[in-house]
Amino acid sequence: MSLDDRIPNNVDLSSDRRLQKALEQWQPKFQEWWMDMGPEGFQAKDVYLRTATSVERDGWATFDYVKMPDYRWGIFLTPEEPGRPVGFGDMIDQPSFEEVPGEFRNSLRRLIVTQGDTEPASVEQQRLLGQTCPSLYDLRNLFQVNVEEGRHLWAMVYLLHRYFGRDGREEGDELLARRSGNADKPRILEAFNQPINDWLSFFCFTMLVDRDGKYQLAALAESGFSPLRRTTQFMLTEEAHHLFVGETGLGRVIRRSAQLRRESDGQEAKVGGIPLETIQRYITHWYSYALDLFGSEISSNAADFFSSGLKGRYHEASKYSEHSAKDQFQEIPIIENGRVTMKQVPLRNAMNEVLREEYIRDTERAVRNWNKIIKEENVNFEILLPHRRFHRHQGEYAGHGFTFDGSPLPDAASYQAELAKTLPTARDREIVQSVMTPVTKPGQMAHWIAPPTKGINDQALDFEYVRLN
Amino acid sequence: MAESETLSQAPTFTDFETHPTRYRHWSLQVDGEVARLSLSVQQEEGLSDSYLLKQNSYDLGVDIELADAIQRIRFEHPAVRVLVLTSAVARIFCAGANIYMLGKSTHAFKVNFCKFTNETRLGLEDLSAHSGVRTIAALNGTAAGGGYELALACDEIYLVEDGNSAVSFPEVPLLAVLPGTGGLTRLVDKRKVRRDRADIFCTIAEGIKGKRAKDWNLVDDIWSKSTFPAKVEARIAAVLGASEKNPSTGGVALTPLSPKLSESAIEYRFVTLRLDHDHRSAELVVQAPPLSEPVDGAGMRALGASLWALQAFRELDDALLHLRLDYPGINVVALRTTGDAASVLRVDQALLKHAGDRFVKEVTAHMARVLRRLDLTAKSLFALVEPGSAFAGSLYELALASDRIYMLADQKGASRITLSGMNGGALPSSNGQTRLAVRFHGEPKRPAELLQAARPEGFAAEAAEEAGLVTMALDDLDYEDETRIAIEERASLSPDALTGMEASLRFPGAESMATKIFGRLSAWQNWIFQRPNAVGPTGALTNYGQPTRPVFDYRRT
């Protein structure tokens, strides 16, 4: 099998000897990592997966049965109009960087490593979920997300190998050496060290944490470093499915819980459902960790990334008319002597917050849809998002106690009491665990989740998405 | 940067005195033979409100606590044989000096801040060299910039291997300045990191972690996160097992100095600093010990912190720090002594006789550190030897540290210079030599000859001049005018040129790591601190944390 067949790509791998050499050494390590840390118990099964084999309209989603270890992880960059200049920052309108500019080498490598580290981390977090899948449809979606996170790792490793020399190769190896939740070698970002032991957490994760990924990728898809821009653009096409899995997954759980609540007169836990209050607390937990991922509200790194033209705003090119973000300010509430006060922050230093706001708006939209579902089921309940200051471990609000609604709390005791009310309790986890029993008959759904509205790639709902026998 | 918009130009008075019960940022725990200093910087408790001490970064206030802790371990906890420095904050050991604090400081403050932190780190090394305390930096998180420099001042460095924690010098790539607390010097001189590797290390902002940090000898070992605490304990046990015990008794509490402050003076028990702001000059007067000063080991220990040799030099130390940080307008300092020279000689003799006593040893080592602080003080120092002064033995070192020594040749021959055994090696200068050897750099045999010929009655003016122990002896017709004019003339010269001139002339002969740090690293740093590429409107230090990127003038000198 030729290299191009083994590794589908549009980066002329067969004539790039340096890249070949790097990938030849890295690929076996990746395979080994996948066997060790990939989905437990399903590596030999046929899964109905889509594989990207080219960037053309008919090539990026080729569906067929594949055993996951045989998945053809490829390297794809979205083609774009030649001569597109740097779109923002101090070097606006200058030619895009086709190679890494020496002065940004460290910043770029850090951006890529931080993004890359999240991809294998989520596979590790989710590796035991297959054993409690609510349906073959969901099992297949889990695996689709997993193999594509693997491909996103490839995409980042491609950049490291192709553009960062020996350092890049070492970072590529490190990406396979860190382990989610491992005390000695944790993943870089905290949300990626949180365990995902149940499907409610999985849906929260793909809805809320992967959505951070979408905004990070979108900001990098504006980059003046052309290979990064084109790589992340292609990743975004795949990421959309992950968000779909999360948003519709939570929607289906919410719908089923609302139905069971109505039918059981508010006793949905007793009839095998997950209480809406429990779902609310899971969302609160994951949402607050996802907000942390955007970084500090006031950040010199964010300003550097923007002024260097490395990381823009969401839809920088199409949404904004002014791309220097110079001499502009953003009001950011900060904590001074226990009080919330407004501070004028140079816009460039507030870029993390600008991106976080896009994310919050998008998440609020999804929440409105879920509340519509609850209303359709004639149940009186409303899912709410906590205030952005609540339960934060990063940035201006970390280390301060706030209520769910964002009001400052006077002391640690009242904050602890607020957390006890609003974050998942031991009882919540117990309820969720109790309904996590595998359902593997084609077309069947676990009792606690509603069926999806349609199948994958126009297949029927009772299609055998994973062949277990 | 305009001085008017900066910190520490206000008429502030820095408090260099503190106590473990008042520490905000460090916590000192002493458990038998093991002392632990753990850093948890309270970000809102910096010396000024204009910056936050994030990421365990430090300002002068944090370092004053560290200096105090090191001092107290030596005097109050003589049994200690291991000192462990670590962090109480997750994932970060120390991020070094706070950048916003530096960005907002005057040039003079930056220079003196760096000098103080350098002296504190040398104090750590002095603790290890003279007090039998092995120092261990247990880096349980990233040590960046001054954080790693602090580690470099320890005997051993261990870094947690968690995939993230690194040691780093981001100064050059990120801030366009140097790691100014001895880091560059210690990297190649102390840890003997190969210079090309050091070159790479100093230009990677995020630093080096894991195996390569060990391979390059940036750290002594790397331990995984889960085994790290146990490995540190094991290393402590190994050190304790391999070294001799220190005496477990005889700790002496360091009591507050509580000077009397006024606009024109700081008055301590034995030391007085008089300020003449109009003439940009000051007078620093040290009083000799009283005749009743005990000279037996038990009596000396019983006096504790009130022992003249300890108290007078602690006062001198405090006065020097105030001179540096709080009185930038003072350019010339006249050094005087008063009291009975014979009493100084008695004390000197006792210090030498009981040199094996742990307390006495610490007292002498402390005197030596204070005198080195004097050597490194960027003020013109003129010693004035007159009738009634007590420039004998250890107090004559004040004169030896000065740039010039004026002696009044009075008709009765009452002005005297007297040498003692303390001039023979107990109080070395930063280059490891005695001040007599530094003075007679061209006549290497002279110090020994002088010490051998030393008489208790000392040298009268003419003989002192003849022996080269003073710059000039002047009769009473000339003395007053000459010294007044000398001081006025000195105060009229450029303070910058004087600082450079004095720093060059004070240290003839061989170099040590300390003189390299102060003479090479600090001098370059102080130059860089003035350059537009660091502090100009487009400089990196000015633009750090701002939405704008630095723009350099790429022409090299």
Side-chain angles (χ1 to χ4, degrees), chain A residues 90-91 103-104 106 109 166-167 170-171 174 178 183-190 300 303-304 307-308 326 335 337 346 348-349 396 400, chain B residues 43-44 52 54 91 100 161-164 173-174 203-207 209 212 216 224-227 543-550 554:
Chain A
D90 291 344
M91 268 152 288
E103 60 179 316
F104 305 142
N106 283 329
R109 190 179 58 191
R166 194 181 74 169
D167 288 353
E170 285 177 5
E171 292 287 4
E174 285 287 309
R178 286 185 284 269
D184 286 338
K185 287 226 148 193
R187 290 291 170 183
I188 295 170
L189 299 169
E190 201 35 45
S300 54
D304 279 349
S307 47
S308 321
K326 236 183 180 168
I335 312 306
N337 303 319
R348 286 179 173 187
N349 293 63
E396 286 296 317
H400 300 281
Chain B
Q43 54 175 358
E44 288 174 12
L52 286 177
K54 291 186 175 176
R91 295 160 80 105
Y100 299 103
E161 191 190 17
D162 57 8
N164 280 314
L174 214 55
T203 52
I204 305 179
E206 78 242 37
K209 57 183 191 274
R212 184 174 295 167
W216 287 15
S224 70
K225 198 173 167 188
S226 56
T227 60
N543 282 276
Y544 181 77
Q546 301 300 311
T548 40
R549 287 170 37 77
Y554 279 104

Side-chain angles (χ1 to χ4, degrees), chain B residues 65-265:
Chain B
E65 291 181 7
L66 176 61
D68 181 77
I70 296 168
Q71 197 87 294
R72 285 183 197 278
I73 288 169
R74 301 183 77 151
F75 283 100
E76 301 185 357
H77 306 285
V80 167
R81 287 196 286 149
V82 180
L83 168 62
V84 183
L85 274 76
T86 191
S87 160
V89 176
R91 295 160 80 105
I92 183 91
F93 170 71
C94 171
N98 187 275
I99 305 306
Y100 299 103
M101 178 274 295
L102 287 176
K104 288 175 177 171
S105 298
T106 62
H107 178 71
F109 180 84
K110 281 201 282 276
V111 169
N112 278 302
F113 167 76
C114 290
K115 194 177 278 184
F116 182 84
T117 53
N118 263 314
E119 287 167 331
T120 307
R121 275 121 201 93
L122 285 165
L124 258 178
E125 289 175 330
D126 193 68
L127 168 76
S128 168
H130 293 109
S131 303
V133 178
R134 188 89 180 153
T135 50
I136 296 175
L139 309 182
N140 49 351
T142 287
Y148 180 49
E149 291 183 294
L150 178 56
L152 284 170
C154 294
D155 296 318
E156 304 176 13
I157 307 175
Y158 301 104
L159 175 65
V160 66
E161 191 190 17
D162 57 8
N164 280 314
S165 296
V167 294
S168 68
F169 279 159
E171 284 86 347
V172 170
L174 214 55
L175 307 168
V177 298
L178 302 182
T181 320
L184 299 179
T185 313
R186 286 196 178 85
L187 213 51
V188 287
D189 270 57
K190 182 180 183 181
R191 294 201 65 92
K192 301 187 170 54
V193 174
R194 216 174 63 200
R195 59 175 275 244
D196 53 349
R197 287 175 166 173
D199 181 283
I200 289 178
F201 173 65
C202 295
T203 52
I204 305 179
E206 78 242 37
I208 290 181
K209 57 183 191 274
K211 188 171 169 297
R212 184 174 295 167
K214 187 183 173 186
D215 290 346
W216 287 15
N217 202 37
L218 299 169
V219 302
D220 291 288
D221 212 342
I222 46 172
W223 295 327
S224 70
K225 198 173 167 188
S226 56
T227 60
F228 195 80
K231 293 272 194 183
V232 171
E233 294 311 310
R235 183 60 204 148
I236 293 170
V239 170
L240 291 178
S243 66
E244 285 186 20
K245 277 196 181 299
N246 280 339
S248 57
T249 57
V252 161
L254 296 176
T255 49
L257 298 174
S258 315
K260 206 172 111 199
L261 308 173
S262 67
E263 179 76 354
S264 60

Side-chain angles (χ1 to χ4, degrees), chain B residues 396-423:
Chain B
Y396 177 54
E397 292 287 323
L398 301 180
L400 287 171
S402 301
D403 300 298
R404 297 184 195 175
I405 309 171
Y406 289 94
M407 188 167 189
L408 172 59
D410 62 305
Q411 289 177 348
K412 290 181 186 163
S415 297
R416 295 280 162 151
I417 296 279
T418 318
L419 299 180
S420 82
M422 288 296 276
N423 304 116

Side-chain angles (χ1 to χ4, degrees), chain A residues 208-257:
Chain A
L208 297 165
V209 178
D210 278 342
R211 193 168 304 271
D212 156 74
K214 167 187 165 181
Y215 285 90
Q216 299 299 339
L217 290 174
L220 296 176
E222 303 288 335
S223 183
F225 179 45
S226 160
L228 177 62
R229 180 169 74 219
R230 297 169 55 205
T231 304
T232 45
Q233 278 169 7
F234 189 72
M235 289 163 75
L236 278 167
T237 59
E238 293 162 318
E239 199 71 27
H241 174 68
H242 307 186
L243 303 181
F244 163 84
V245 168
E247 185 171 343
T248 58
L250 269 177
R252 287 159 55 211
V253 183
I254 288 166
R255 180 180 293 282
R256 186 65 182 142
S257 292

